[in-house]
Amino acid sequence: MPNAEVLATGTELLSGDVVDTNSARIARALQGLSIPLVQITVVGDDLPRMVAAIRAAMARSEILIISGGLGPTVDDVTREAVAEALGRPLVFDPELFESIRARFQSLGFPMPENNRRQAFRPQGSQVISNPIGTAPGFWIEEGDHILFALPGVPRELERMLTESVIPCLERRFPPAEAMVWRVVRTIGLGESVIDERLRDLLEGENPRVGLNAHPGMVDIRIQARGATREEAAARAETAVQTIRERLRWAVYGEGNRAPEEALIAMLQERGLTLATLERGTLGLLGGRLAAADPEGQVFRIGEVRSRRTAAPEHAAEAIRRQTGTAVGLAAEVLPEGERFQITVAMATSEGSRSLQRGHRGPLPHAAEWAANAAMGLLWRWLQEAP
């Protein structure tokens, strides 16, 4: 299979003010085609840097998808960068110009003069129509390589990706082998522990297994190949079962499932109710559980306090008794010099359990750790309880 790269353009992506969601959309689309995405590059609105990035990507990979830089302003230089990188002149397309002007007329606005720039495209390129915006895209072949340029507006890019780019790639690169992706999600075990238990899988080639750590959680990503989709799926399933056997209680789901969703479902299955009490956590624990159980069938109440009235171990039991729920869950983040002390606890009629850890990151990160650690504590109890 060919390799693919993504070039995300825009100085705003380098400032941290705007998150690059387009590359994730493109990556998911390529997964469905069994086309490996080998690199994502972000470059600002700088013509020489964009030219260099395009040339480097085209030298490495057969497919390049560019997002952004197709607007009408002077800092939208994707057209110029592609033309220069490939040694082709920009040509004016009268039909494209009329379609852009007609688009403005349909919206009830006269077309600004600077939108005329969008009617230029590299010689030899083909237009990718934009049914919901004014910025057309284009695609161009260069030997065995193909380049797609799409606007940066996410909903426009997604529409053009679905309707034009994916069908083109399906025709051009029918898969030589099938690929299947799975994501196993875990909570309550550290990345180093998981690394030790899955070392042989992590060192394998097919399937490829990798770890993606989050605060208090680790995702295990599996990529399996096979002559058929069934063969690839079987290899992925074997890896998933091995992971579940070795990590046992720590596995709470697959795909995009959040831990609070798994917890609410398990509590409902067991006929248990839950209340929380937290301090210094920005209300993340109760907020996430409430969002996962909007009708309050399991999660009855979440209290957020500004001052400490009891240690988390006692607070968990106090909130359980106060609300009459089966489980009380408490989380606390306390500043200690240059770090935070995270304490989480749970209480049931059978007793309580708790854990502590230090954290040197910012408060939002510490709060996320606390929420996930509390849910991990409860998840483990649910898995181990008879």
Side-chain angles (χ1 to χ4, degrees):
M1 289 298 293
N3 288 331
E5 295 194 26
V6 171
L7 178 61
T9 72
T11 303
E12 69 278 4
L13 300 178
L14 299 174
S15 68
D17 294 331
V18 176
V19 176
D20 173 26
T21 58
N22 285 333
S23 294
R25 288 183 175 87
I26 296 168
R28 288 192 293 269
L30 292 173
Q31 277 191 10
L33 299 174
S34 297
I35 294 176
L37 176 61
V38 297
Q39 186 162 322
I40 296 173
T41 303
V42 180
V43 65
D45 300 312
D46 181 276
L47 183 59
R49 291 182 184 276
M50 285 185 63
V51 170
I54 292 168
R55 286 174 175 166
M58 294 289 280
R60 290 187 298 256
S61 301
E62 292 81 6
I63 301 167
L64 174 60
I65 302 177
I66 304 175
S67 66
L70 295 179
T73 61
V74 293
D75 61 347
D76 290 312
V77 294
T78 294
R79 290 174 291 267
E80 291 82 353
V82 172
E84 183 174 336
L86 301 185
R88 303 187 182 210
L90 282 175
V91 296
F92 180 74
D93 186 331
E95 291 185 7
L96 185 57
F97 176 72
E98 289 303 323
S99 69
I100 296 170
R101 184 160 62 179
R103 173 69 177 169
F104 275 94
Q105 289 176 344
S106 69
L107 297 173
F109 299 103
M111 188 192 78
E113 181 58 30
N114 62 356
N115 282 90
R116 190 175 189 276
R117 296 184 67 238
Q118 294 176 295
F120 285 85
R121 55 184 175 83
Q123 188 177 63
S125 65
Q126 304 296 317
V127 175
I128 301 176
S129 62
N130 183 348
I132 57 175
T134 61
F138 62 84
W139 64 277
I140 188 169
E141 293 184 280
E142 182 77 5
D144 294 332
H145 301 257
I146 187 167
L147 178 153
F148 299 89
L150 304 173
V153 179
R155 66 188 187 92
E156 296 177 19
L157 177 140
E158 189 162 21
R159 180 80 174 265
M160 297 163 74
L161 190 66
T162 301
E163 295 184 356
S164 299
V165 177
I166 293 174
C168 179
L169 290 174
E170 285 177 326
R171 293 190 299 269
R172 176 72 182 269
F173 301 105
E177 62 178 356
M179 298 180 72
V180 169
W181 286 261
R182 297 275 292 274
V183 179
V184 177
R185 309 203 72 184
T186 72
I187 193 167
L189 277 185
E191 184 179 18
S192 59
V193 174
I194 292 176
D195 178 83
E196 288 182 353
R197 295 186 185 180
L198 303 182
R199 180 62 57 85
D200 57 324
L201 294 181
L202 294 170
E203 293 175 347
E205 288 295 324
N206 188 20
R208 287 187 177 179
V209 179
L211 306 182
N212 184 17
H214 309 279
M217 306 190 331
V218 179
D219 293 342
I220 304 164
R221 300 186 176 275
I222 302 159
Q223 180 194 81
R225 307 186 309 275
T228 65
R229 184 170 182 82
E230 290 73 20
E231 180 181 317
R235 285 179 176 162
E237 177 62 23
T238 298
V240 169
Q241 292 306 316
T242 300
I243 291 166
R244 287 184 174 273
E245 290 168 5
R246 295 183 187 179
L247 303 186
R248 304 181 67 82
W249 62 265
V251 176
Y252 74 82
E254 292 190 37
N256 295 319
R257 195 178 203 193
E260 55 267 28
E261 295 171 345
L263 270 178
I264 294 298
M266 180 63 72
L267 289 166
Q268 191 167 14
E269 180 182 319
R270 301 276 184 90
L272 301 175
T273 53
L274 170 68
T276 63
L277 191 153
E278 51 194 312
R279 176 175 179 266
T281 62
L282 307 177
L284 287 184
L285 176 60
R288 286 168 56 182
L289 288 166
D293 185 22
E295 297 181 2
Q297 295 181 347
V298 169
F299 181 60
R300 296 300 169 79
I301 191 170
E303 287 193 15
V304 180
R305 295 182 180 174
S306 59
R307 62 187 182 90
R308 193 181 207 196
T309 56
E313 296 85 346
H314 301 298
E317 175 63 15
I319 194 68
R320 185 185 78 84
R321 289 182 178 275
Q322 175 187 325
T323 57
T325 54
V327 182
L329 198 58
E332 181 180 71
V333 176
L334 287 177
E336 288 188 353
E338 296 182 353
R339 69 172 198 160
F340 293 98
Q341 181 69 33
I342 298 171
T343 306
V344 299
M346 62 163 289
T348 70
S349 60
E350 301 170 357
S352 63
R353 57 176 68 182
S354 64
L355 62 86
Q356 286 187 331
R357 61 161 287 142
H359 185 75
R360 292 190 176 275
L363 176 57
H365 199 255
E368 188 178 0
W369 259 108
N372 288 338
M375 287 190 282
L377 192 67
L378 177 53
W379 179 257
R380 180 169 187 172
W381 176 78
L382 288 168
Q383 296 300 301
E384 295 178 341

